[in-house]
Amino acid sequence: MESLSLSSTSTPLSVPSDIPLPPLPVIQDLDIQRKVFTHSSFIAKPKYSIELFEDDEESRDNEKLELIGDSLLGSSVLGLLQDLYPNLNVGQSTKIKSALVSNPTLREICRRYHLNEKLIAPPEQLPTLINGEKVLANLFEAYIAGVYYSYLKHCPTPLNLSNSTLPTPPRSPNQHAHSLSPSSSSSSVYISASGEASSPTRGQAIDHLDLWLRPLFQPIAESMLDQLKQQQIAKHLLIENDEDFNTDKNAIGANSRLNQWFISKESEMPDYASSTAGMQGWKTLCTAVDRYGKNWYGEATRSTKRAAMAVAAYKVIVQFEQERPDFKA
């Protein structure tokens, strides 16, 4: 996953340093927990294999959990954005979603939860891996999957987040098992309202995840939307500045050219009314009356009076040329 940028020169959206993190849910199952923190380098499985399935020894790392966690996170973040900003257009929603699930964002969250400190890898590779962007992003996604599967197996007490409107998953006694599969016969059970025993559902496990992920990503999403707005404003100002630069360049000597034409070809010299414009400098209104009695106007605000007069005259010239092809000044 790549970090978000509006263009090749835009600043990627980032996680603010002052956003508090909600409590990290505990992975109840120790086997799942170990798999979450185990990097593939620790297993040293073959890099290339023609086998379709791995054996139990080879599947002890977090690669498969990372893949599942990526999908669970993407679904949760998209749902959050839709609930927060139902009228946000698809393009902007896609940009924010991409930023939220990007490697830099997930690495930062992983570090703030200190998950990198528990990474299991060969000692000689560990110093490099615990700082790797993709390694830590994958670790965080694996942790999400670990919480999901641990809930399916043990149905722990849900996170106590008072601002959540999600339904509270039912509680049940812990049942220890040795398989990640929620369909395993060793999965935990709880007593439903009807008094019948049943296994926790995948929907309840997703609700359990959302009790953590939504409070985690909501302030980050809000901050990134603000950053996106600021980038759009800066981009708009840049376009305006480019237009001003081209106009100022073309306006050099425009008032002299306009004055000479009107003195020799029209009724009288143009009038320039200038006044101060506070922090913006000077504002000039150029009024020119042609031989037919028609008034032509051009207005400009620039840092100096001279520049404002030149641009105001240039704006009159641009209009005048469109209607008077004989204008050659």
Side-chain angles (χ1 to χ4, degrees):
M1 293 171 287
E2 300 297 329
S3 61
L4 167 70
S5 62
L6 292 178
S7 69
S8 58
T9 59
S10 296
T11 302
L13 304 183
S14 60
V15 181
S17 59
D18 58 346
I19 288 182
L21 302 183
L24 183 70
V26 176
I27 297 176
Q28 301 289 333
D29 189 282
L30 296 181
D31 290 338
I32 297 176
Q33 184 182 102
R34 182 173 179 81
K35 180 175 286 192
V36 163
F37 289 103
T38 301
H39 189 261
S40 58
S41 62
F42 187 77
I43 306 301
K45 59 187 178 183
K47 187 173 183 180
Y48 302 103
S49 174
I50 62 173
E51 300 295 333
L52 295 179
F53 297 93
E54 298 175 335
D55 58 33
D56 292 340
E57 179 67 20
E58 292 175 339
S59 62
R60 289 187 295 114
D61 60 50
N62 63 14
E63 286 189 335
K64 182 64 72 65
L65 289 176
E66 175 267 322
L67 179 65
I68 297 168
D70 176 68
S71 295
L72 291 169
L73 175 62
S75 177
S76 180
V77 165
L78 277 177
L80 172 65
L81 290 176
Q82 177 60 25
D83 290 345
L84 288 176
Y85 312 113
N87 296 325
L88 186 65
N89 69 52
V90 175
Q92 303 307 319
S93 182
T94 300
K95 290 176 183 177
I96 296 178
K97 186 261 184 182
S98 297
L100 289 172
V101 301
S102 68
N103 286 342
T105 296
L106 302 188
R107 175 190 59 182
E108 181 65 19
I109 296 173
C110 186
R111 283 176 171 173
R112 294 192 193 182
Y113 275 125
H114 303 287
L115 298 179
N116 56 317
E117 298 173 7
K118 300 179 180 180
L119 186 67
I120 302 172
E124 66 275 11
Q125 298 184 36
L126 193 57
T128 300
L129 292 175
I130 61 174
N131 293 306
E133 181 177 281
K134 184 170 177 57
V135 171
L136 298 191
N138 290 349
L139 174 57
F140 182 74
E141 291 172 333
Y143 196 92
I144 292 173
V147 173
Y148 173 81
Y149 280 117
S150 181
Y151 180 86
L152 286 175
K153 290 180 65 175
H154 300 285
C155 199
T157 302
L159 294 174
N160 182 22
L161 298 174
S162 59
N163 63 339
S164 173
T165 59
L166 294 170
T168 301
R171 301 180 60 183
S172 74
N174 285 341
Q175 301 287 333
H176 294 283
H178 302 284
S179 171
L180 278 178
S181 172
S183 61
S184 169
S185 59
S186 60
S187 296
S188 63
V189 297
Y190 70 91
I191 305 302
S192 66
S194 63
E196 298 179 354
S198 61
S199 300
T201 67
R202 293 177 183 273
Q204 289 165 344
I206 290 174
D207 284 345
H208 178 68
L209 273 179
D210 277 350
L211 288 172
W212 166 45
L213 294 178
R214 283 187 170 231
L216 170 60
F217 280 92
Q218 178 171 339
I220 301 175
E222 291 170 345
S223 172
M224 286 184 171
L225 180 62
D226 288 340
Q227 294 174 52
L228 189 60
K229 289 178 180 177
Q230 293 303 316
Q231 289 186 10
Q232 296 285 46
I233 292 172
K235 186 177 180 181
H236 179 70
L237 291 176
L238 180 62
I239 293 173
E240 286 189 339
N241 289 337
D242 285 345
E243 292 176 348
D244 287 345
F245 176 80
N246 291 330
T247 298
D248 290 358
K249 182 178 179 181
N250 294 329
I252 295 175
N255 47 331
S256 295
R257 291 187 285 126
L258 185 67
N259 294 347
Q260 291 174 5
W261 176 268
F262 267 76
I263 291 174
S264 61
K265 303 291 184 179
E266 309 299 332
S267 60
E268 59 187 38
M269 180 175 172
D271 176 69
Y272 297 89
S274 298
S275 60
T276 58
M279 297 292 291
Q280 294 178 301
W282 287 84
K283 181 177 182 180
T284 296
L285 173 65
C286 175
T287 305
V289 182
D290 65 18
R291 72 187 76 162
Y292 305 108
K294 181 177 179 178
N295 291 318
W296 300 84
Y297 301 98
E299 186 177 82
T301 302
R302 290 296 186 271
S303 58
T304 66
K305 182 178 180 180
R306 180 179 178 180
M309 291 176 62
V311 174
Y314 174 71
K315 290 183 177 180
V316 171
I317 289 175
V318 171
Q319 300 172 60
F320 201 73
E321 286 178 329
Q322 294 176 353
E323 187 169 319
R324 296 282 296 276
D326 60 318
F327 179 72
K328 302 298 182 182

